Amino acid sequence: MIFPFLWMIVTSFMTSSQVLSGVINFIPRPFVFENYTAITQAIPVGRYFFNSAFVAVLMTLGQVIISAMAGYAFARMKFKGRDALFFLLLVTMMVPPQVNIIPLFYLIKELNWIDTYQALVVPGLFGGFGVFMMRQWFLGLPQSLEEAARIDGCNYFQTFFKIALPLGLPALATLGIFTFITSWNSFMWPLIVTNSDCMRTMPVGLAIFKGSFRETTQWGQLMACAVIAIIPVVAIFLAGQKYFIKGLMAGSVKE
Amino acid sequence: MIKYLQNILNKESVSSWFFIMPSVLGSFLFIVLPVFVSFGISFLKWDLLSSPKFVGVDNYIELFSDPIFYTVLLNTLYYAFCVSVLGVILPLILAVILDRKIKGAEIFKTIYFLPFITPMVVVALVWEWIFDPYRGVLNWFLMGAKIEWLYDPNIAMAAIILVSVWKLIGYNMVLFLAGLSGIDANLSEASKIDGASELKNFFYITVPVLSPTIFFVMIITIISSFQVFDLIYLMTQGGPMNSTNVIVYWLYNNAFEYFKVGEASAIAYVLFFIILGLTALQWKIRRKWVLHE
């Protein structure tokens, strides 16, 4: 199971002559960093990394706050059309994203958003999954603290930001980790809405780098890129493993 | 003025609309509206640039009379079938083993889960390197075999399925572990006292009690399999000779390579109805699954 990861790391420290020799050796001899320095010269890997991270952070913050607000209202407040709207949001989870990709691309094109960060971030901020998750969480919390705050004269916004949001942190973390990883890994949408090299995300940049080899594919360099591309998600996953797995189970409707 | 604002913010009916507005508006604009627009586009001949031409159901007629459509559909069905069978049986066995509280179970769970969070690009690159016919480590393991994995029309799909299952195992395993933790320990204990073997225990206790979970995992696996794109785009581009061409890859090609968005939208709607049917089935089972807990 873990062999492909080990093989990736090992290959990334091999010289290209060792990789191309066709003789399999599980220890890089000599052990070199040349692949890592070579890729910084071949492609703007720092820029790809920054783009991916920037988009993932924005999408995570946006998704978390938008979902928490809506989830809170659906769990706690009474208003006209509440149940119908919530049902509608649930139904949006049934729509496979590929079905929407043509109209969305056209919308982004008409907005002149092609090759911008908003094109990468905005369409990923919404959906029933986050709202559903946050609503479930708030439904499970006791209301007494919020009622006390209301009696002390807080309006609904103050109550939400000062009382409910801090209590919602575990659920926010779950949703945040989930959104970050989804955003970092997303491929099809960034492939479609970016054209220029400086707007590529890590996955798309890597795929194009792979396609740029004509005669001999430099597997050592590609594996070095792969190692870099995997570090943030693995770090976040290991840090928040419990939250992440819990979130996947709660949201398995989405898949 | 401030007083007025205070009053508004204290009104439940007004405040609540502020809370839900971003989510509801965004979902409408970026999910609900495009679904209908997509349906509309499927009746057009259009390249996204010149003015569109209404052609009625021509795109659908063309689609159903195109032999490639059936190749693509069969490929997708075959892929979804294999991935969902292997992607259920293997994780189920692993979950039953890891459920025994054996030493290091937590580490195994993490290791099995890693492929699931790994970007598909990384998965594709690493496996392409492993599959390399001349320098790849897989052929080396197979005693210098010269199998052309991704370049052989008879093998490419199997290779893609292998990678997909590898990526999926950890996730489905976690779902099964959740299901297993809900099984009453008395059940298997009773059957052991009655002298049932481990294997009998698995088939007569674990599988039947877990059956709602198994169906549920199977259907979500089929649904995600129907949406496979990244792996195909990255590893085979639908080839060799269309042997790994699947619905979403074909949709992408029609829309963003040939700029035939009308035809592509018709393909999208075929996919939509397949997934809608599967999702409806899943919700039915999910209700059962939740009740079961």
Side-chain angles (χ1 to χ4, degrees):
Chain A
M1 274 311 280
I2 202 167
F3 172 78
F5 292 108
L6 300 177
W7 189 226
M8 166 179 84
I9 295 167
V10 167
T11 308
S12 78
F13 293 112
M14 288 180 181
T15 60
S16 86
S17 58
Q18 191 185 350
V19 171
L20 297 176
S21 69
V23 181
I24 301 294
N25 208 321
F26 292 101
I27 297 150
R29 254 179 282 182
F31 188 97
V32 292
F33 287 94
E34 64 177 37
N35 294 315
Y36 289 88
T37 47
I39 53 171
T40 56
Q41 266 135 46
I43 50 169
V45 65
R47 179 74 194 216
Y48 296 161
F49 193 91
F50 169 80
N51 288 343
S52 275
F54 186 61
V55 168
V57 167
L58 284 184
M59 199 187 283
T60 304
L61 291 177
Q63 168 83 252
V64 162
I65 188 73
I66 289 170
S67 305
M69 283 174 69
Y72 179 75
F74 282 118
R76 283 284 195 266
M77 300 164 96
K78 287 189 193 74
F79 52 94
K80 250 188 204 160
R82 182 182 71 175
D83 296 341
L85 278 175
F86 185 66
F87 181 73
L88 200 76
L89 275 178
L90 282 187
V91 171
T92 63
M93 286 199 283
M94 279 199 190
V95 179
Q98 299 87 353
V99 171
N100 281 345
I101 211 148
I102 293 164
L104 275 182
F105 173 77
Y106 186 66
L107 177 68
I108 295 297
K109 194 169 85 79
E110 289 302 293
L111 289 169
N112 269 323
W113 279 8
I114 297 291
D115 244 357
T116 63
Y117 287 116
Q118 42 297 18
L120 292 167
V121 175
V122 175
L125 293 177
F126 311 101
F129 168 66
V131 180
F132 176 74
M133 221 180 100
M134 292 311 298
R135 176 179 172 268
Q136 290 297 96
W137 176 266
F138 285 123
L139 280 178
L141 283 181
Q143 293 198 27
S144 49
L145 273 174
E146 291 154 51
E147 272 159 14
R150 292 281 301 138
I151 291 165
D152 286 348
C154 286
N155 64 39
Y156 283 99
F157 285 84
Q158 290 163 328
T159 312
F160 172 71
F161 283 106
K162 287 188 183 149
I163 309 292
L165 212 52
L167 289 175
L169 268 179
L172 294 176
T174 311
L175 180 60
I177 294 166
F178 184 82
T179 312
F180 186 93
I181 294 181
T182 310
S183 169
W184 184 277
N185 293 356
S186 78
F187 181 72
M188 194 182 189
W189 183 247
L191 175 73
I192 291 169
V193 295
T194 57
N195 293 326
S196 65
D197 218 22
C198 66
M199 283 308 294
R200 298 289 191 200
T201 58
M202 200 72 200
V204 178
L206 239 166
I208 289 170
F209 182 44
K210 159 86 192 359
S212 71
F213 293 109
R214 286 277 165 263
E215 296 292 313
T216 43
T217 306
Q218 293 290 348
W219 286 111
Q221 293 182 20
L222 284 170
M223 292 304 109
C225 287
V227 170
I228 294 170
I230 202 179
I231 287 171
V233 273
V234 170
I236 287 205
F237 167 66
L238 292 179
Q241 195 177 357
K242 285 214 173 105
Y243 289 127
F244 185 66
I245 291 179
K246 213 192 298 163
L248 281 173
M249 273 149 55
S252 34
V253 183
K254 196 190 180 189
E255 290 294 318
Chain B
M1 179 66 197
I2 289 168
K3 196 86 200 261
Y4 179 71
L5 202 72
Q6 276 285 341
N7 267 336
I8 283 194
L9 292 180
N10 262 318
K11 261 210 169 120
E12 195 169 10
S13 57
V14 180
S15 302
S16 56
W17 276 93
F18 278 110
F19 275 92
I20 60 162
M21 209 32 101
S23 176
V24 168
L25 217 62
S27 298
F28 180 78
L29 196 62
F30 290 101
I31 303 173
V32 180
L33 200 63
V35 173
F36 293 103
V37 175
S38 194
F39 189 57
I41 296 176
S42 72
F43 298 104
L44 304 175
K45 283 261 182 265
W46 194 22
D47 58 5
L48 286 175
L49 296 168
S50 56
S51 55
K53 201 174 116 214
F54 182 79
V55 293
V57 292
D58 276 12
N59 288 330
Y60 290 94
I61 293 172
E62 265 173 50
L63 189 64
F64 289 113
S65 52
D66 186 347
I68 294 181
F69 172 70
Y70 296 98
T71 310
V72 167
L73 203 61
L74 274 178
N75 284 343
T76 314
L77 282 170
Y78 177 71
Y79 171 85
F81 176 79
C82 292
V83 171
S84 59
V85 169
L86 293 172
V88 164
I89 292 174
L90 297 176
L92 181 61
I93 295 169
L94 280 171
V96 170
I97 294 170
L98 286 180
D99 196 42
R100 299 276 163 81
K101 313 270 180 290
I102 53 167
K103 249 190 192 167
E106 286 304 315
I107 292 174
F108 275 113
K109 274 183 222 170
T110 306
I111 288 174
Y112 280 110
F113 210 80
L114 272 182
F116 184 71
I117 56 149
T118 303
M120 204 49 118
V121 180
V122 171
V123 171
L125 280 177
V126 173
W127 278 95
E128 229 183 305
W129 169 221
I130 290 173
F131 282 137
D132 190 292
Y134 307 107
R135 305 184 189 90
V137 70
L138 185 56
N139 275 349
W140 181 82
F141 274 131
L142 298 172
M143 304 299 163
K146 289 280 174 284
I147 303 169
E148 300 248 305
W149 300 104
L150 297 169
Y151 307 101
D152 184 332
N154 297 314
I155 299 177
M157 188 54 115
I160 295 276
I161 289 167
L162 171 78
V163 177
S164 304
V165 171
W166 173 79
K167 193 173 196 304
L168 197 69
I169 281 181
Y171 175 55
N172 286 355
M173 190 189 75
V174 166
L175 293 180
F176 284 132
L177 280 170
L180 282 172
S181 66
I183 294 185
D184 192 349
N186 291 333
L187 268 177
S188 48
E189 211 126 284
S191 82
K192 268 184 203 141
I193 290 169
D194 289 349
S197 67
E198 291 277 326
L199 212 61
K200 265 196 170 157
N201 193 39
F202 177 77
F203 281 110
Y204 290 103
I205 305 286
T206 312
V207 171
V209 177
L210 216 58
S211 60
T213 314
I214 294 172
F215 277 120
F216 171 77
V217 171
M218 192 147 212
I219 288 187
I220 60 168
T221 307
I222 297 174
I223 290 176
S224 66
S225 299
F226 267 96
Q227 301 178 37
V228 63
F229 170 78
D230 300 5
L231 207 53
I232 305 291
Y233 178 93
L234 292 160
M235 292 186 90
T236 62
Q237 288 86 47
M241 301 193 304
N242 277 326
S243 64
T244 58
N245 201 346
V246 291
I247 295 181
V248 178
Y249 183 73
W250 200 41
L251 188 165
Y252 170 87
N253 258 350
N254 270 294
F256 300 104
E257 299 287 330
Y258 316 138
F259 297 103
K260 297 197 287 187
V261 295
E263 285 87 337
S265 295
I267 299 169
Y269 254 76
V270 171
L271 173 75
F272 187 36
F273 277 109
I274 293 174
I275 291 188
L276 212 61
L278 288 167
T279 312
L281 198 65
Q282 176 214 338
W283 279 36
K284 253 188 174 164
I285 290 163
R286 187 184 168 82
R287 206 163 293 151
K288 223 170 146 187
W289 191 50
V290 171
L291 276 182
H292 178 81
E293 282 188 330

